[in-house]
Structure formats: C-alpha cells, structure tokens
Amino acid sequence: LLHQVFAHIEKADDLPSALERLSFEGVFESEEQKQQIQGLAHWALQHPAVKDWFSGTWELYNECAIVYTDEQGQMQTRRPDRVMRKDGQVVVVDFKFGKPNKKYNKQVQGYMQLLVRMGYVAENIRGYLWYVEENNIEPV
C-alpha cells in the first residue's frame, strides 16, 4: 500500500489527495488501515533526502516505462519507481519494503545503465534503494 501511495505523489503535499484517491478506489480495507498508512508515509517523508525528492523541485518520471532492446533483440520494459531530473542530475529511486538484497542493487544499476543508453551522462546519474519501513536509503 505504501508503494501505491508513493507512486501517486509528486511532492509531500500530495499525500492527503493521494490517500483520498486510493480510498475512493477501494484500496484500503478500513479507515484504520488508511490512517496507519498515512502515519507511516508521513514519517517516511521526513527523511532529509526523501524531503528533497518529494519537494516538487524535480522533474518527475513516476513509474515511467523504459523500453529497450535486449541482447537477443527482444523488446523489454523496465519501470523504476521514481526517476527525477534537476540541474543536469538524474536520480533513480526504487522503493523497497523488505530486507536488503543484492539483487535490488543490480536492479537499480540496470536502470542507471538504461539511462546511459538513452543518452544521459553516467557521472550525472545517482541511484538509491529506499527501504521505506526502516527509512534507510542505500546509495547504489
């Protein structure tokens, strides 16, 4: 549920409207669950780096598909959770809700490599794993 909430907000101020939209769509089982998710989201958005990411100052690509051709010539699609651009910098963030895992690092590295293939400068791309429940941000 938290993943859905973060996918629906551009900036922290969007949290109430995102919760209402998801509530209207029947995503929450109860008002209590909605309140719990709201508290967790509000808490997670207090992390200094996260505050910047959800400040509204970035050009945002939320759950945007990256289409590419793999080594076998097959069309593939990848969807990073959040890609942001500002002042020549590109930041890729993937939300995680479990224990750290090395495959998650490879996943974000793959997104970063795709951005290089799209013409972005590698030195200007940063990637992060955001373990939301622990509010821990791991650079990739």
Side-chain angles (χ1 to χ4, degrees):
L1 291 175
L2 276 172
H3 194 281
Q4 283 187 287
V5 169
F6 293 129
H8 281 85
I9 62 176
E10 180 176 334
K11 54 190 185 310
D13 293 347
D14 298 336
L15 180 59
S17 60
L19 290 167
E20 286 307 313
R21 177 178 173 189
L22 292 171
S23 183
F24 179 76
E25 293 173 0
V27 170
F28 302 113
E29 294 176 5
S30 65
E31 184 63 27
E32 180 182 329
Q33 184 184 48
K34 177 183 165 187
Q35 294 300 320
Q36 183 182 22
I37 294 298
Q38 179 178 5
L40 287 169
H42 181 73
W43 169 78
L45 289 167
Q46 298 309 304
H47 189 289
V50 174
K51 275 186 176 184
D52 179 46
W53 297 339
F54 287 86
S55 65
T57 62
W58 293 85
E59 184 178 345
L60 176 63
Y61 302 91
N62 231 9
E63 298 278 341
C64 188
I66 299 174
V67 181
Y68 67 99
T69 305
D70 67 13
E71 296 80 27
Q72 289 78 33
Q74 300 294 314
M75 295 291 283
Q76 299 289 326
T77 303
R78 296 287 180 259
R79 283 189 195 280
D81 291 332
R82 192 170 182 95
V83 177
M84 301 166 285
R85 289 189 331 167
K86 178 170 67 174
D87 301 328
Q89 299 297 306
V90 179
V91 175
V92 179
V93 179
D94 215 50
F95 314 141
K96 297 299 178 190
F97 297 90
K99 300 281 184 213
N101 189 320
K102 292 287 185 211
K103 73 178 181 180
Y104 299 150
N105 290 63
K106 289 187 183 296
Q107 181 183 16
V108 173
Q109 288 171 352
Y111 297 148
M112 295 166 70
Q113 289 168 357
L114 287 172
L115 290 167
V116 169
R117 285 177 59 184
M118 292 170 62
Y120 293 97
V121 179
E123 293 77 30
N124 295 340
I125 302 172
R126 292 174 287 145
Y128 298 94
L129 289 165
W130 179 22
Y131 292 96
V132 178
E133 293 167 327
E134 300 169 4
N135 215 359
N136 181 35
I137 296 172
E138 181 180 309
V140 176

